[in-house]
Amino acid sequence: KVFDYQGDTLPGWPVQIPHYNNHYRIKGLPALGVISGIANGYREIVVPIVPCGDPDGPLGPPKVLVYNHNGQRIYEFDCSISVSNLQVGLAVEDMYSAGCDEIAISYFDANEQTEVFNKNGLVCAYQSGNNDMTPALADLQTDGYAEVIVGGQDGWITAYDVANDTVWWEQLPE
């Protein structure tokens, strides 16, 4: 559900997530952003969903759903790797200084993965991730592009240079 400042449910809410009958559930915190690039005073609601309920193996890829303030689903993105019953972390930021926000989602099942989506779909994917954390997005190099900082399942922290699609630095915490 989505509530206003007085605790009242907003028009159009609640909504049932799609794929619910295919064992998908919300398994991460929602985020807010302007994914569409439309500056109308409203932020869009970004929700991660993950397949759950099959202890014997992956059911499908995590999905990212984007809703407008009226509860209408305006985007749906599929991640690349099938997983089962895990938590995911996502972050939202205008990573390319283009006037619309991108979504970074990090997860781990048999493989580590962090993927970045914009309103048109998958932008890039990085071979590091963890389902126990949320990626950080910040312009560390002050070049106008946010770096993607993730903690991998292997213990390494990696910062990806989005502008050049390379690893900017890696560090194993001491």
Side-chain angles (χ1 to χ4, degrees):
K1 291 184 178 184
V2 177
F3 302 97
D4 67 13
Y5 71 97
Q6 295 176 322
D8 297 322
T9 303
L10 289 177
W13 295 91
V15 297
Q16 181 168 347
I17 62 168
H19 315 292
Y20 188 83
N21 291 333
N22 292 329
H23 306 289
Y24 274 84
R25 303 294 184 267
I26 297 171
K27 294 290 278 187
L29 296 174
L32 300 174
V34 182
I35 310 306
S36 66
I38 299 171
N40 60 6
Y42 296 103
R43 294 190 179 264
E44 289 129 5
I45 300 157
V46 183
V47 180
I49 62 172
V50 174
C52 299
D54 184 0
D56 296 325
L59 294 173
K63 297 177 182 288
V64 178
L65 309 175
V66 181
Y67 293 90
N68 69 11
H69 69 282
N70 290 323
Q72 296 172 317
R73 183 168 30 107
I74 56 175
Y75 302 108
E76 178 178 323
F77 307 113
D78 287 347
C79 293
S80 302
I81 299 173
S82 291
V83 299
S84 181
N85 199 26
L86 54 85
Q87 198 76 9
V88 296
L90 59 83
V92 175
E93 176 71 37
D94 184 357
M95 295 171 55
Y96 295 93
S97 299
C100 58
D101 292 335
E102 283 75 32
I103 304 161
I105 182 169
S106 183
Y107 58 97
F108 170 84
D109 201 3
N111 299 296
E112 300 178 51
Q113 191 79 349
T114 296
E115 297 176 334
V116 177
F117 295 91
N118 68 12
K119 65 182 178 181
N120 299 312
L122 183 66
V123 175
C124 54
Y126 301 108
Q127 301 299 311
S128 181
N130 191 329
N131 49 303
D132 294 327
M133 53 78 63
T134 298
L137 308 174
D139 185 2
L140 300 175
Q141 300 182 79
T142 63
D143 60 358
Y145 299 94
E147 278 64 51
V148 178
I149 303 101
V150 295
Q153 190 69 21
D154 59 3
W156 285 83
I157 299 171
T158 306
Y160 293 96
D161 178 345
V162 171
N164 297 303
D165 199 25
T166 59
V167 172
W168 186 45
W169 59 258
E170 288 184 300
Q171 179 70 42
L172 186 60
E174 298 174 12

